[in-house]
Amino acid sequence: MSGPGRLGDLLGIDHPIVQGPFGGGLSSVALAAAVSESGALGSYGAHILTPDAITGLVTELKAATSRPFAVNLWVPLEGERSALPDDIAFTTHIERLRPYYDELGVNAPAREVVEALPAFDDQIDALLAAAPPVISFVMGIPPRRVVDEAHRKGITLIGTATTVDEAVALDEAGLDAIVASGSDAGGHRGAFLAPVRESLVGTFSLVPQVADAVTVPVIAAGGIADGRGMRAALTLGADAVQIGTAFLATRESGASDAHKRQLGTPAARTTVLTRLFSGRTARGIPNRFVRDMAAYEDAVPPYPVQNALMQPIRRAAAAQRRPEYVNLWAGQAAALAGDDLSARDYIAHLVKELPPPGVPSGPARTR
């Protein structure tokens, strides 16, 4: 098996493997702790949590594992939180979804629910105070004060880039490691310097360019589910890999049964990019909702409005085991996901497939 490499040296983990963070309730303490206890880096997506909930989460994670773990937040995009629709537009967006509320037997959310979402500044202040070993970010660069305070407290910071330019910006901002997230990856696209449509670089094109452009450890993400993908990423210059969808399929993840049943099947061979579930572009398995609402891709409101409007639908569909209305986030290697594996067993399989210690995994960097 391979040694931990530069990321392992930075974080104190045994294997060059990171579990991707899942937002929207798909993360679980059990999964993050199991991954960390197995010698990799477990992660938890906290972007929908209140500051008090974040404090409690970090306390729970510290009780569940003595090994390093990461908590992930979304950096807000400029103007996004202030782009709430007026009453007429809000009603239009509600009525567009009315048939789904009615079919699933749920109420449409009130406008106040949308306006009451937690603010990033309050979330990050609570997270810094709780001091997890690692904080990771998607969608942008954290403020300078956050970087300085995290480093003062000994917290490692990981940023996420979808392009080389974003990776360079994160490196220059002082983050300690960078996830090179290719367009193969499932879930939300984290582009922040250019529109998503201009930032769709495949993982195995992105990784070597990022590795050549930055000075910190690079974590390859997107379309990696087994030893073949890991070895390819390491050969191209990555220091570690981040795996999302295959961990989403494990027993400990917070994904619904309806979601898990789609992973590792022929249905998972096809994925699409859609704004319909959250207002931000994300990759998932197309289902009835995505197909029926395809004409409204550009009409739905941006995050966080569409996300709040869809929350009752997503939750009811998951509870009723109706995958046709669930956001089936998945990357382009989703069909390779295992069937009913524990996180520990999955990591054990991955570790066996890593290259032996001392075997060069990739070309020398140009910087």
Side-chain angles (χ1 to χ4, degrees), residues 86-357:
D86 60 27
D87 290 341
I88 294 175
F90 189 79
T91 300
T92 298
H93 297 316
I94 289 285
E95 292 308 311
R96 184 185 299 124
L97 296 171
R98 180 72 63 188
Y100 302 100
Y101 297 134
D102 292 344
E103 182 175 345
L104 292 164
V106 296
N107 295 321
R111 185 183 179 90
E112 292 73 23
V113 173
V114 178
E115 296 173 339
L117 293 172
F120 172 80
D121 285 343
D122 296 335
Q123 290 177 312
I124 191 60
D125 286 346
L127 191 53
L128 288 169
V134 182
I135 300 176
S136 64
F137 298 95
V138 291
M139 311 291 182
I141 302 171
R144 181 76 249 172
R145 71 169 185 89
V146 172
V147 176
D148 291 343
E149 178 65 8
H151 287 160
R152 187 184 72 80
K153 291 192 165 203
I155 300 170
T156 300
L157 298 181
I158 299 176
T160 303
T162 66
T163 66
V164 177
D165 288 344
E166 289 177 354
V168 170
L170 290 164
D171 192 18
E172 292 176 345
L175 277 79
D176 303 298
I178 296 169
V179 175
S181 179
S183 58
D184 319 41
H188 287 88
R189 302 304 305 145
F192 60 91
L193 289 184
V196 170
R197 66 180 179 276
E198 297 176 17
S199 307
L200 297 175
V201 186
T203 303
F204 296 113
S205 295
L206 181 63
V207 167
Q209 296 181 73
V210 170
D212 285 351
V214 303
T215 60
V216 297
V218 175
I219 305 162
I224 301 170
D226 59 18
R228 293 169 294 183
M230 290 192 302
R231 292 192 297 271
L234 296 173
T235 297
L236 291 171
D239 298 279
V241 299
Q242 178 171 287
I243 298 174
T245 306
F247 276 115
L248 201 61
T250 62
R251 296 172 194 163
E252 295 91 343
S253 95
S256 66
D257 289 341
H259 192 166
K260 290 181 180 180
R261 285 200 304 270
Q262 302 297 308
L263 303 175
T265 72
R269 293 172 185 164
T270 300
T271 61
V272 297
L273 293 171
T274 179
R275 294 181 60 247
L276 293 171
F277 284 104
S278 72
R280 277 185 171 173
T281 303
R283 183 176 295 283
I285 301 168
N287 54 11
R288 176 181 165 185
F289 182 80
V290 171
R291 294 186 174 103
D292 287 353
M293 294 286 287
Y296 300 104
E297 280 284 352
D298 295 328
V300 299
Y303 180 91
V305 178
Q306 182 69 2
N307 191 62
L309 297 181
M310 285 297 299
Q311 190 174 78
I313 293 171
R314 296 194 307 261
R315 288 181 174 175
Q320 296 173 27
R321 298 193 172 191
R322 300 185 63 175
E324 66 266 32
Y325 300 130
V326 174
N327 49 314
L328 302 172
W329 298 149
Q332 290 186 321
L336 297 176
D339 181 27
D340 196 33
L341 282 176
S342 72
R344 289 177 179 272
D345 287 345
Y346 177 51
I347 291 174
H349 285 300
L350 293 176
V351 170
K352 288 179 182 177
E353 296 183 334
L354 284 167

